[in-house]
Amino acid sequence: MKYKLDKSAHSVYALHYHLVVVVKYRRKALCSDEIRERLKDIVWDLSNELGIEIVAHEPAEDHYHLLFKATPKTNLVNVVNVIKGVSSRKLRQEYPEIQSFLWDNAFWSPSYFLATSGQVSLDVLKDYVDSQTEK
């Protein structure tokens, strides 16, 4: 993937994030291709409202990976909460059979994984920063 910088009035940035959310108790609630595709559509529809750009995303039976771009003003906690809340509600409404996989009303685990994903490795960046005193 080509390195691309985004710009605003006073900043230049490249902010990529990797989000993983897991179905509570790792239940296989995303059991069909139709449900997994619907999850992707739901998140895609939310992306404009949340101010993110989806780079890639793919659900498995018990978890969901999302790679997205954001701006410095993006409220990451809000992004995660909206994705989890809206997708949970819509999937449970549209696919009542999902309820048999879930315990109580919880669809997603309350925890999640979120990491920055740069276009250079952390080691390369550290070496670059460390070498600045030599210049």
Side-chain angles (χ1 to χ4, degrees):
M1 184 178 284
K2 188 177 179 202
Y3 191 76
K4 182 181 176 283
L5 297 174
D6 295 308
K7 299 175 182 167
S8 67
H10 302 287
S11 61
V12 178
Y13 54 91
L15 300 173
H16 293 83
Y17 297 93
H18 179 200
L19 172 67
V20 181
V21 292
V22 177
V23 176
K24 190 157 187 177
Y25 303 120
R26 284 276 190 179
R27 303 298 297 249
K28 299 194 181 318
L30 304 172
C31 53
S32 71
D33 290 339
E34 180 183 346
I35 292 171
R36 290 189 293 272
E37 284 302 313
R38 181 62 180 126
L39 173 59
K40 290 170 72 171
D41 291 343
I42 291 167
V43 175
W44 188 265
D45 292 344
L46 290 171
S47 64
N48 280 338
E49 174 188 325
L50 295 171
I52 63 171
E53 180 183 331
I54 296 174
V55 176
H57 61 144
E58 199 61 47
E61 288 185 335
D62 63 354
H63 66 282
Y64 172 59
H65 287 266
L66 172 64
L67 182 61
F68 65 95
K69 289 172 49 175
T71 70
K73 292 183 178 182
T74 302
N75 180 338
L76 297 174
V77 172
N78 185 59
V79 167
V80 174
N81 288 338
V82 168
I83 287 172
K84 288 172 69 176
V86 171
S87 64
S88 170
R89 185 178 68 253
K90 286 188 175 186
L91 289 175
R92 284 184 288 118
Q93 286 172 349
E94 296 173 20
Y95 301 96
E97 66 272 20
I98 286 177
Q99 197 62 38
S100 67
F101 291 93
L102 305 176
W103 293 359
D104 295 326
N105 254 349
F107 188 92
W108 299 111
S109 168
S111 57
Y112 58 88
F113 169 83
L114 183 65
T116 56
S117 177
Q119 297 181 8
V120 295
S121 73
L122 188 56
D123 292 334
V124 170
L125 188 56
K126 183 181 180 310
D127 290 345
Y128 174 76
V129 171
D130 289 345
S131 71
Q132 293 305 297
T133 58
E134 300 167 7
K135 293 182 179 185

